[in-house]
Amino acid sequence: MLIGAQKEYQYDVIVVGAGHAGIEAAMAVAKMGARTALFTIKLEAIGRMSCNPTVGGPAKGHLAREIDALGGMIGRVADQTGIHFRMLNKKKGPAVWAPRTQNDRYDYALTMRNYVENQPNLDIIESLITELIFSDNQESITGVRSIIGKEYFSQKVVLSNGTFLKGKIHVGNVSYSGGRSGEPSDDFMSDSLIRAGFKIARFKTGTPPRVDINTVDFSKVEEQPGDLDPQGFSFFNDLKLQNKVCCYLTHTNALTHQIIKDNLHKSSLYGGFIEGIGPRYCPSIEDKIVKFSERDQHHVFIEPEGLHTVEAYVNGISNSLPPQIQENIVHSIAGLENASIMRYGYAIEYDYVSPEELLPTLETKKIRGLYLAGQINGTSGYEEAAAQGISAGINAVLSIDKKDPLIFDRAQSYLGVLIDDLVTKGTNEPYRLFTSRAEYRLFLRQDNADERLMPTGYQLGLISDVTWQRFLEQQVIVQRELEILKQTTSLKHPLISQSTKLYNILKRPEFDFSQLTEFGYQLPSDLSPQIIDKISIACKYEGYLHRQLADVEKFGYLEQYNLIEDLDYSQIQGISTEAKEKFIKIKPVNLGQASRIPGVNFTDIQSVMVFLKKMNKLIRSTD
């Protein structure tokens, strides 16, 4: 697969950064047969969970399952190292059911590192990459340069630097350079990107203090056990998932809020020490008190960080206040009055690149062969990073092989929603994915991620033959049982007035699958809880799903019309000046993406269609 002049340390793809984005990118590239180099500042930091050691939750759990269906790593390792499993929102509709795991922080990183180190076609190198190397015309990437001057050459480069680009840690009025606590920042790569013409801005995020869980008064907190029937992320794993710890819930109170109000001026955020914009949907405790002043309490979750440590994550009080104030806050909370702080919370400020600089493949518009994935694109969260990583890695290899790119459709996946939002709308705050961002979330459920994406993963060579055969067998079982339910008439039963098909009984909201045996259903031995969920959802939501699938087909109409790369929008009559500017900036790949650009209206799209039709260039991609 290598092309061009042979040079020392020649690779097909170089991935910079071994966090969640970098790992997914490198593993996908290597599995697809390309020679890969993965660079990390510290080998010990591969796969490190910098914030809460948890995977999943609303939309994030959907992403983790989609990544798994494509052959990615985050779901598999989360299952193997999970110590607490819950399916969130089970009392609501299936569209928002969301798996979540609390993981052993150290076990997760070690397990992930083991996978990476044993992956064929993948070299791991500990080195700080500080500069990009470009072609003579400065239009394409040719490699990278390390801090000690070593050059590595490749056709494609994926940058997944996380929060390390000029990272700066803040605690009160004290600040210092760092990519995260205890690790150096990369103070050079931003300059290389700026020289290449990229728009750089600053975001901030943060973490709460960690406490010794043995110093928690459990009589004052609410125990939150895991599910009785734990379900993870990975499709067709043979693990026996077990809950090994409990998490706990407590709350802030009036005293907590007063302490924070009295010391806001000492906060890095409110004291004027931080320039970057923080996440609106995962705010610091200072932000919560200021922006939600009418609230008299906020949730605080105490979550163990592993089986071999007493360290616990105090979820809900992320802050950048001085150490003594952090102690006062912690000790004001029920159950934490005598808690011993093991690590203090901090805020971190870092550079990112505007995601509007990217194509839907996550390749940059300015430099061919350069891809960006993860927090460097202005996102937050392990799952969002991992999703971008696997997309960038896949598309890098497809480009090398001169194959069509894989552009994830927002009507077919949360991964598509994430990437389309970023490259079409940009973001002015750390982007976090929510189920509410998806137009077709009844279709984009966590339980059917395999049906939506595993065929793609298998075609790319990321899904094993064994897993693929198990998927096909499961599909056969689901269809078999649905047919049996449609054809079998129920026995007489006092809860129904007359006999009817079992399928019609299951459609009723007052009955669930477990009750079907009372009506004569013979429960086969090859039905797993996951298969039962698929059957129940297919039955109970049949009408809604048909309507939503019809909407998905309508959505796909504009997506089928690709836009030529060199389209001169200034020549098109009838579109607004704002639309012209947005089209030139975003360079939408099809009419569907064009229609979602903020400031673009129906008339603008119609004008583009008319122009292309006159030029005989309005061609459907399916034609």
Side-chain angles (χ1 to χ4, degrees):
M1 191 176 287
L2 296 174
I3 62 174
Q6 295 296 307
K7 299 176 182 177
E8 187 181 10
Y9 297 107
Q10 179 81 47
Y11 293 95
D12 292 314
V13 180
I14 285 173
V15 179
V16 180
H20 304 280
I23 286 171
E24 297 292 354
M27 291 292 283
V29 169
K31 287 179 181 179
M32 292 173 72
R35 189 174 177 220
T36 316
L38 176 62
F39 286 90
T40 177
I41 294 177
K42 279 290 181 183
L43 288 170
E44 296 82 3
I46 292 173
R48 181 166 291 170
M49 303 176 107
S50 306
C51 201
N52 195 359
T54 185
V55 174
K60 292 171 174 286
H62 294 68
L63 267 186
R65 297 216 90 192
E66 290 183 352
I67 295 165
D68 186 79
L70 286 167
M73 301 304 301
I74 189 170
R76 182 189 307 182
V77 176
D79 285 355
Q80 291 177 6
T81 62
I83 56 178
H84 184 268
F85 297 84
R86 289 185 68 191
M87 183 68 73
L88 305 183
N89 297 327
K90 211 41 169 135
K91 294 181 180 180
K92 299 180 181 179
V96 294
W97 294 356
R100 182 187 188 274
T101 61
Q102 188 72 18
N103 292 88
D104 186 305
R105 178 190 301 278
Y106 304 102
D107 194 17
Y108 182 96
L110 286 172
T111 302
M112 189 67 84
R113 180 176 175 180
N114 183 60
Y115 275 115
V116 172
E117 288 182 342
N118 287 283
Q119 174 60 45
N121 300 321
L122 178 56
D123 292 346
I124 307 165
I125 305 168
E126 180 180 288
S127 188
L128 176 61
I129 299 301
T130 58
E131 194 173 354
L132 302 172
I133 303 173
F134 304 111
S135 59
D136 291 340
N137 61 11
Q138 300 293 300
E139 292 181 355
S140 61
I141 198 79
T142 60
V144 298
R145 186 176 293 113
S146 76
I147 195 169
I148 58 175
K150 193 68 176 177
E151 294 183 342
Y152 304 83
F153 298 94
S154 68
Q155 303 174 59
K156 308 290 179 184
V157 171
V158 179
L159 291 184
S160 51
N161 303 74
T163 60
F164 283 73
L165 294 182
K166 293 193 175 178
K168 193 173 186 180
I169 292 174
H170 298 269
V171 182
N173 63 355
V174 175
S175 60
Y176 55 92
S177 176
R180 57 188 164 204
S181 182
E183 294 180 42
S185 66
D186 180 346
D187 294 330
F188 307 97
M189 181 57 74
S190 288
D191 295 333
S192 185
L193 289 166
I194 290 170
R195 288 195 297 271
F198 289 97
K199 177 184 175 183
I200 301 292
R202 299 281 277 178
F203 275 163
K204 78 96 178 172
T205 187
T207 68
R210 276 73 157 179
V211 301
D212 181 342
I213 200 165
N214 288 337
T215 60
V216 174
D217 185 346
F218 295 105
S219 68
K220 297 182 178 180
V221 297
E222 178 186 334
E223 186 175 82
Q224 292 202 308
D227 291 340
L228 294 176
D229 58 337
Q231 296 182 40
F233 301 100
S234 190
F235 292 96
F236 311 117
N237 70 52
D238 295 314
L239 296 173
K240 177 64 176 175
L241 302 180
Q242 294 181 320
N243 290 299
K244 300 173 182 177
V245 300
C246 274
C247 295
Y248 304 90
L249 172 64
T250 183
H251 299 87
T252 60
N253 53 55
L255 177 57
T256 314
H257 298 189
Q258 193 59 51
I259 292 169
I260 294 166
K261 290 175 183 177
D262 291 344
N263 291 280
L264 274 177
H265 62 288
K266 298 178 182 178
S267 161
S268 300
L269 179 62
Y270 284 91
F273 304 105
I274 293 178
E275 300 173 5
I277 298 169
R280 180 172 25 141
Y281 300 107
C282 188
S284 66
I285 190 63
E286 302 105 305
D287 262 345
K288 289 179 185 177
I289 301 308
V290 171
K291 295 178 180 177
F292 307 102
S293 57
E294 74 282 0
R295 296 278 298 274
D296 56 8
Q297 65 175 23
H298 294 279
H299 287 325
V300 177
F301 297 94
I302 303 166
E303 299 169 323
E305 299 220 343
L307 299 179
H308 307 291
T309 178
V310 297
E311 190 175 3
Y313 188 92
V314 188
N315 190 353
I317 57 168
S318 173
N319 73 88
S320 59
L321 287 155
Q324 184 57 55
I325 307 303
Q326 293 193 39
E327 292 177 13
N328 294 342
I329 291 170
V330 168
H331 295 155
S332 72
I333 297 171
L336 300 178
E337 293 91 345
N338 297 305
S340 174
I341 294 179
M342 299 181 71
R343 300 182 199 235
Y344 290 96
Y346 64 88
I348 183 166
E349 195 176 14
Y350 56 93
D351 285 351
Y352 76 98
V353 176
S354 171
E356 293 171 307
E357 303 263 13
L358 304 173
L359 297 168
T361 59
L362 298 182
E363 184 178 22
T364 65
K365 297 172 183 174
K366 288 186 172 70
I367 305 295
R368 291 195 307 273
L370 177 63
Y371 297 75
L372 308 184
Q375 285 181 277
I376 193 173
N377 292 335
T379 61
S380 66
Y382 307 145
E383 302 84 358
E384 288 90 341
Q388 294 169 73
I390 198 168
S391 176
I394 289 169
N395 278 298
V397 178
L398 291 175
S399 178
I400 291 173
D401 292 343
K402 296 185 169 33
K403 294 181 179 178
D404 290 338
L406 176 60
I407 298 177
F408 292 95
D409 188 337
R410 70 181 295 125
Q412 299 293 327
S413 66
Y414 273 96
L415 212 158
V417 173
L418 164 69
I419 294 176
D420 186 61
D421 277 355
L422 290 173
V423 303
T424 304
K425 303 174 184 177
T427 185
N428 57 9
E429 62 185 351
Y431 178 98
R432 180 178 179 179
L433 191 63
F434 293 98
T435 54
S436 59
R437 295 189 189 272
E439 295 87 346
Y440 309 108
R441 55 184 177 271
L442 183 56
F443 175 57
L444 305 184
R445 306 185 311 275
Q446 56 83 31
D447 66 276
N448 69 355
D450 55 341
E451 298 169 29
R452 293 183 282 110
L453 293 173
M454 197 168 284
T456 299
Y458 182 67
Q459 291 167 9
L460 292 168
L462 300 176
I463 294 292
S464 71
D465 288 335
V466 172
T467 297
W468 179 245
Q469 288 305 314
R470 292 178 70 175
F471 166 73
L472 294 178
E473 290 167 6
Q474 177 183 269
Q475 295 302 101
V476 169
I477 294 170
V478 170
Q479 293 306 314
R480 180 196 75 199
E481 293 307 305
L482 283 171
E483 285 304 312
I484 289 173
L485 293 176
K486 289 177 180 178
Q487 295 173 12
T488 304
T489 302
S490 68
L491 301 175
K492 291 184 178 180
H493 194 282
L495 292 178
I496 56 175
S497 58
Q498 60 184 13
S499 294
T500 183
K501 300 299 183 185
L502 295 177
Y503 189 82
N504 294 331
I505 292 174
L506 185 57
K507 285 181 75 76
R508 299 184 185 183
E510 66 267 27
F511 295 119
D512 61 36
F513 193 92
S514 64
Q515 294 173 280
L516 290 180
T517 54
E518 300 176 24
F519 298 91
Y521 178 63
Q522 299 295 315
L523 186 67
S525 60
D526 55 2
L527 259 60
S528 66
Q530 291 78 14
I531 291 177
I532 290 173
D533 278 347
K534 287 177 179 288
I535 294 170
S536 297
I537 293 168
C539 177
K540 289 184 178 296
Y541 295 89
E542 180 183 33
Y544 298 105
L545 286 168
H546 279 316
R547 285 195 291 273
Q548 188 139 108
L549 287 171
D551 290 340
V552 168
E553 288 184 15
K554 292 178 184 177
F555 171 87
Y557 175 74
L558 289 178
E559 305 292 315
Q560 296 173 11
Y561 290 97
N562 292 333
L563 295 172
I564 55 178
E565 190 172 344
D566 58 350
L567 181 59
D568 186 357
Y569 292 99
S570 65
Q571 300 299 313
I572 302 177
Q573 300 295 318
I575 63 175
S576 67
T577 301
E578 181 183 6
K580 287 181 182 179
E581 293 174 351
K582 294 288 182 68
F583 288 150
I584 293 169
K585 178 182 179 182
I586 302 297
K587 297 181 180 177
V589 297
N590 57 47
L591 284 173
Q593 185 188 3
S595 70
R596 293 189 294 277
I597 297 174
V600 172
N601 59 43
F602 179 75
T603 303
D604 298 322
I605 299 300
Q606 288 291 100
S607 298
V608 174
M609 292 181 73
V610 169
F611 178 82
L612 290 173
K613 197 169 185 178
K614 286 181 179 178
M615 300 290 291
N616 201 30
K617 291 182 178 179
L618 184 64
I619 303 171
R620 292 173 63 178
S621 58
T622 53
D623 290 345

